Amino acid sequence: MNREQSFLFLSRMDKYLQQIDRALEMIEVGTYGICRVCGKEIDEARLKAVPTTRICFTCKQNEAKAAR
Ligand SMILES: [Zn+2]
């Protein structure tokens, strides 16, 4: 790996670790698995696929639509 590649790799790792940190925080305060947009429980299958997610599939789709 050259310098630039390792920098990119590390900054990506850092982001990932931040997301895990946040997920752990949510577990502590009991909001893990709750969508931050609509407040509903996030589908278990989705949580397993993306453990650091903070919004449910429906809201994710809405966001993607809004971003377009
Ligand atoms: Zn939602």
Side-chain angles (χ1 to χ4, degrees):
M1 260 197 260
N2 65 35
R3 277 177 75 97
E4 203 176 322
Q5 275 175 328
S6 41
F7 176 75
L8 281 175
F9 176 75
L10 285 176
S11 62
R12 223 176 286 146
M13 271 307 274
D14 199 49
K15 246 186 203 160
Y16 187 63
L17 288 176
Q18 275 176 15
Q19 286 183 324
I20 291 179
D21 256 5
R22 236 181 270 143
L24 288 175
E25 250 169 56
M26 289 191 288
I27 291 171
E28 259 170 48
V29 295
T31 58
Y32 183 71
I34 307 287
C35 174
R36 75 184 160 91
V37 178
C38 67
K40 283 182 196 157
E41 274 180 38
I42 299 171
D43 191 54
E44 215 186 305
R46 174 160 165 76
L47 275 180
K48 272 183 190 153
V50 193
T52 57
T53 190
R54 287 183 296 161
I55 64 177
C56 71
F57 188 64
T58 315
C59 293
K60 178 83 196 168
Q61 279 187 319
N62 287 344
E63 250 184 26
K65 262 184 226 157
R68 229 177 275 153

